[in-house]
Structure formats: structure tokens, C-alpha cells
Amino acid sequence: MGQEHSNTNDPKENIVVPTEYNIISGLIGLGPDILLEILNEMNNLPDAQKFLIICKKTFELMKHSRFTKIIESLRFVKYTFLIPDKKYRIAESNQFIHLEPDFEHCTVALNPVLSNGIFRIEFIFVNHDEGLHYCVGIAESSCVFGSGKGPDDDGNDKKTVRYWNDGDVGHIGYNYIKGNKEFKCGQKVAIEANLYSKPFSLRFFIDNEEQQNNFIYIPSEIRFW
């Protein structure tokens, strides 16, 4: 038995018509898959929210099966340690370990630089000598911490906000503000920076309890440390 073949010479019958086009008409000319990739490349939720309300087409992305996963990924920032001297200090996953017998100051900033969003980070100190002061805070993005230096050395007292374990908070120089609670090893110390709505602000929490001394007019670009 023979097979039948189409002998048509009309090239139009062999053309596959795409369902999505990249039309030369700006952002709204892109298909949903490309728009979702743009959304996926954003660094924070406020930017994503602005993107979604550009037009009806971007708003419709919320119905896409990939949307929830992309938004969940934007809710979390992946931090990395900027360790000034690795001689006695190591980083494992989300833990920074200060090894004995090194008792020098060690201030570790975290990448990335944060801007245009609302960011929160939580710290827990473990097995720290309670006789020695330790602290958490924020720094201007240009701030660099040297090896064996505290967060307020080398002029960084004017570039950092420092919440010490005795409850004192230092900001712009060596003037300390009292009133926040002390914290100890095992307690959860959280920092929340609002870099989305002006004036930019900073809040502190101990075991999820907001502290009374907070700050406004912080820099537009910061790092946690």
C-alpha cells in the first residue's frame, strides 16, 4: 500500500503561527513569559508592586501559575558575610563563627546593599562572653570595616547606628541613647529598615518586642552588620 503525500506548493500551509509576539511597542508588547522574567529579576516587593500596576497586561500576571513562586522569592534576601580577616573567623551558611583564641574586635557587614524597600533581619548571639560588649546595627553603603576594628572605629561612628547589648544605641558620633532593653545570648535581636517611604526609618526588636528608641532620616542605601 502506498502513502498519500501532500503535493501542495503553497508555503503558507507549512507556517507555524506563534501565539506570542514581541511587538515593537514598548513593555506592553511583550508576552507574559518575558514579563514574568522581568518580575523575577527584581530585588524587592515594592518594585514588583509598581511593575504590576503599569497596565492591565502586567496586572494579569497575578493569575499566572509562576506568579506565587516569584513573589515568595522576593520576600527573602540572601545575605553574604563581608569578613575583614578570615584568620580566626569562618562563615557557615547563615552563621558567622568567631573562633578562639582571637578576642579582637570583629565587625562583619552583610551584602547586599539595601535600598528602595522594607527589610528585616534577625540576629542571635550564641556562646558570647557576656563580659564583653557586642552589638548589631546598620551602616551607610560606603562604610568599610577594617580587620580588628569595632563598628565605630576609623570614623565609622558617623556612618553607623549601633545597638549594644547593654541597651545603649549609638548614632552619629559617640552620643549614646538609653532606654532600649538589654539583650543576651539566645535572644532574637531584629532590625527593620524602611527604605521605601520617606523619611526612611529604623526600628529595633528584642524577641519580637519593639524597642522605644527608633530612628528616622537614615541613609537611602545601607548594609546590615
Side-chain angles (χ1 to χ4, degrees):
M1 297 178 62
Q3 294 182 339
E4 294 184 357
H5 297 276
S6 174
N7 293 321
T8 179
N9 293 320
D10 188 355
K12 293 182 180 179
E13 293 189 7
N14 297 319
I15 294 176
V16 177
V17 179
T19 58
E20 293 290 338
Y21 296 85
N22 287 343
I23 303 173
I24 304 176
S25 59
L27 185 66
I28 61 173
L30 301 175
D33 288 335
I34 297 177
L35 291 174
L36 284 166
E37 287 302 318
I38 295 173
L39 184 65
N40 193 42
E41 291 297 318
M42 295 184 178
N43 294 321
N44 55 65
L45 281 174
D47 282 349
Q49 291 168 341
K50 292 177 183 177
F51 179 75
L52 290 170
I53 61 174
I54 288 176
C55 63
K56 183 177 180 180
K57 191 169 186 178
T58 54
F59 191 77
E60 288 291 312
L61 293 176
M62 291 190 290
K63 299 178 182 179
H64 198 282
S65 58
R66 292 176 55 196
F67 176 78
T68 301
K69 186 176 181 179
I70 291 173
I71 292 300
E72 284 297 320
S73 69
L74 290 175
R75 295 178 61 185
F76 299 96
V77 178
K78 184 178 181 180
Y79 295 102
T80 56
F81 297 103
L82 295 174
I83 303 175
D85 185 350
K86 298 182 180 180
K87 183 177 180 181
Y88 294 116
R89 307 167 181 99
I90 59 175
E92 293 181 353
S93 183
N94 62 346
Q95 299 181 65
F96 172 75
I97 303 173
H98 193 166
L99 301 175
E100 293 182 338
D102 181 14
F103 295 103
E104 290 184 343
H105 289 297
C106 183
T107 307
V108 179
L110 301 176
N111 263 339
V113 171
L114 305 174
S115 64
N116 192 30
I118 299 174
F119 305 93
R120 182 184 173 101
I121 192 169
E122 296 178 344
F123 297 95
I124 299 176
F125 289 87
V126 178
N127 297 327
H128 197 287
D129 187 340
E130 295 293 350
L132 300 175
H133 282 178
Y134 49 97
C135 59
V136 298
I138 66 165
E140 292 183 10
S141 59
S142 63
C143 189
V144 177
F145 298 118
S147 177
K149 300 292 185 178
D152 48 7
D153 290 335
D154 298 331
N156 287 335
D157 57 296
K158 298 178 177 63
K159 299 180 180 180
T160 56
V161 179
R162 308 169 299 280
Y163 186 178
W164 293 89
N165 63 313
D166 61 2
D168 290 352
V169 181
H171 179 43
I172 308 180
Y174 291 97
N175 297 315
Y176 292 95
I177 302 170
K178 298 184 179 295
N180 284 4
K181 287 187 176 181
E182 299 180 5
F183 60 87
K184 298 180 180 180
C185 289
Q187 288 188 287
K188 188 184 298 181
V189 186
I191 307 173
E192 184 178 285
N194 183 344
L195 305 176
Y196 180 61
S197 57
K198 294 183 178 180
F200 301 141
S201 59
L202 184 69
R203 299 193 295 169
F204 294 105
F205 301 81
I206 302 296
D207 291 333
N208 293 321
E209 178 185 349
E210 185 173 357
Q211 300 302 293
Q212 69 178 42
N213 292 324
N214 298 305
F215 297 86
I216 58 175
Y217 299 108
I218 65 173
S220 60
E221 295 186 347
I222 65 166
R223 283 189 176 94
F224 291 129
W225 55 265

